[in-house]
Amino acid sequence: MSSNSKVSLSYRDAGVDIDAGDALVEAIKPFAKRTMREGVLAGIGGFGALFEVSKKFREPVLVSGTDGVGTKLKLAFHLNRHDTVGIDLVAMSVNDILVQGAEPLFFLDYFACGRLDVASATDVIKGIAAGCEQAGCALIGGETAEMPSMYPDGEYDLAGFAVGAVEKSKIIDGKKIRPGDVVLGLASSGAHSNGYSLVRKIIEVAKPDLHADFHGRPLADVLLAPTRIYVKPLLALMEKIDVHGMVHITGGGLVENIPRVLQPNLTAVLHKDAWTLPPLFQWLQKHGGVADDEMHRVFNCGIGMTVIVSAANADQAEAELKRLGETVYRIGEIRERAEGQAQTVVV
């Protein structure tokens, strides 16, 4: 080639496949369509998604949340399993806004990778759509970013954004919580999306066969079980019972999340014999030599959501949640906080 010849480069030469991106959009449209709900004016395809807040709200307050899936993704890459992490992504945000009484309205995702693999990306977004269906919110938009050299081949990162609405007079902020209130625990589906850096370290040390049977299921399935979405049963509960507080048990485990809804003069006393530590957490604790206090700070330990109600309403709340398909435990009570006492005590 002579020195004055011009090189003709394309975006594909730089590592970005526009056609693959277009193919992904077409592949996911049917799954997004299944999540549509009243209020969606314009969804996937435009520069911005349009949503009209329902007239059923007299004084709507918007509640928003954002989160990712964390290093659980590394386990998904290792196992080449991409069909459930999208549910995790939705769950982390919709469960967060739910605890303030909000009904999730719509969800947007951000999918970033080095090289777009349409098949695995479609699996991820199918999972996101499935999570939105579970939560009753619309998958209204998103962004797929193909960034060569930013991520290793076969890897990606996810972020999610949920917006919900609550009637101003029905915001749940924990201010109604009083001494004597009962703490109900709703069972988790597994480790959800928290503590996976420690989970992966324990796997590295224990070197288990991830495909071996673990209490009736392959260990890989137990480790990748998607985060439970509590939206529909808890919205139904709030229609019937005055809920004083709710807590999504995420990073920080049981002991660091419950204080987020408590006034400074209150403490939650949890009784660890009120529920059985599920086999997964027993296995993690045994093979990692993890202390009890560390377990309670890192993992949900089998309780993915707590609901705080008055003692007078506890029986009804428990019965209603069980009727709606939840596994419920009475795990503790609210007490006056002693000087210097932690705001969550596990006894």
Side-chain angles (χ1 to χ4, degrees):
M1 182 181 292
S2 64
S3 59
N4 61 354
S5 295
K6 293 183 178 179
V7 177
S8 177
L9 293 174
S10 68
Y11 214 5
R12 188 189 294 266
D13 293 323
V16 178
D17 189 342
I18 295 174
D19 292 335
D22 292 343
L24 177 62
V25 171
E26 289 306 310
I28 65 176
K29 278 183 178 178
F31 307 107
K33 187 175 181 180
R34 290 210 300 263
T35 72
M36 290 301 104
R37 57 167 289 162
E38 181 187 2
V40 177
L41 302 181
I44 290 174
F47 287 97
L50 304 179
F51 192 95
E52 181 179 34
V53 179
S54 171
K55 300 293 192 296
K56 75 178 182 181
F57 294 101
R58 295 188 306 276
E59 293 184 286
V61 174
L62 296 181
V63 184
S64 59
T66 182
D67 210 336
V69 180
T71 60
K72 189 175 187 176
L73 290 177
K74 296 290 282 186
L75 191 57
F77 304 152
H78 175 69
L79 293 165
N80 195 28
R81 293 266 299 273
H82 310 283
D83 56 338
T84 57
V85 290
I87 299 174
D88 287 302
L89 184 69
V90 175
M92 297 308 287
S93 287
V94 297
N95 284 341
D96 273 358
I97 65 173
L98 170 68
V99 301
Q100 289 165 292
E103 173 188 347
L105 301 175
F106 58 86
F107 187 86
L108 296 96
D109 70 275
Y110 176 77
F111 180 102
C113 59
R115 183 181 61 81
L116 182 60
D117 179 84
V118 175
S120 61
T122 300
D123 278 349
V124 170
I125 298 173
K126 281 169 65 176
I128 292 171
C132 286
E133 286 189 80
Q134 290 180 35
C137 64
L139 176 56
I140 203 171
E143 170 69 8
T144 302
E146 190 174 15
M147 299 181 284
S149 77
M150 285 285 286
Y151 299 91
D153 276 357
E155 297 195 3
Y156 50 81
D157 199 11
L158 297 174
F161 312 85
V163 175
V166 60
E167 196 70 63
K168 190 173 184 179
S169 62
K170 295 183 178 179
I171 293 171
I172 296 176
D173 57 10
K175 290 179 181 175
K176 290 184 177 180
I177 298 173
R178 298 286 183 269
D181 282 358
V182 172
V183 182
L184 301 176
L186 278 59
S188 66
S189 54
H192 286 183
S193 298
N194 298 103
Y196 274 83
S197 294
L198 180 53
V199 169
R200 290 169 48 245
K201 189 67 179 177
I202 293 169
I203 291 171
E204 182 185 312
V205 170
K207 296 181 173 58
D209 178 356
L210 296 177
H211 302 287
D213 178 78
F214 186 83
H215 297 266
R217 297 162 65 197
L219 179 57
D221 289 5
V222 176
L223 289 164
L224 280 182
T227 305
R228 189 166 182 82
I229 292 174
Y230 300 95
V231 171
K232 290 180 180 178
L234 286 181
L235 288 177
L237 180 72
M238 286 183 270
E239 290 293 317
K240 293 191 171 185
I241 287 173
D242 185 20
V243 173
H244 289 180
M246 292 185 287
V247 181
H248 184 202
I249 307 302
T250 58
L254 287 164
V255 296
E256 292 188 4
N257 280 291
I258 295 176
R260 296 166 71 177
V261 301
L262 298 179
Q263 298 298 306
N265 64 312
L266 299 176
T267 189
V269 177
L270 308 183
H271 304 276
K272 61 183 177 183
D273 61 353
W275 78 100
T276 302
L277 191 68
L280 172 62
F281 298 103
Q282 294 181 35
W283 184 89
L284 290 169
Q285 183 166 30
K286 176 184 174 183
H287 288 277
V290 186
D292 284 351
D293 287 353
E294 185 74 355
M295 291 291 294
H296 296 145
R297 281 185 60 208
V298 176
F299 298 119
N300 64 58
C301 294
I303 303 296
M305 180 75 76
T306 64
V307 180
I308 301 170
V309 295
S310 69
N313 284 335
D315 285 345
Q316 185 185 354
E318 184 176 356
E320 181 67 11
L321 286 166
K322 287 179 177 177
R323 186 186 71 79
L324 293 165
E326 297 301 316
T327 300
V328 188
Y329 307 95
R330 292 197 188 201
I331 64 170
E333 66 278 342
I334 304 299
R335 297 183 188 174
E336 287 280 0
R337 183 184 182 193
E339 187 176 348
Q341 186 180 31
Q343 281 202 284
T344 305
V345 179
V346 183
V347 296

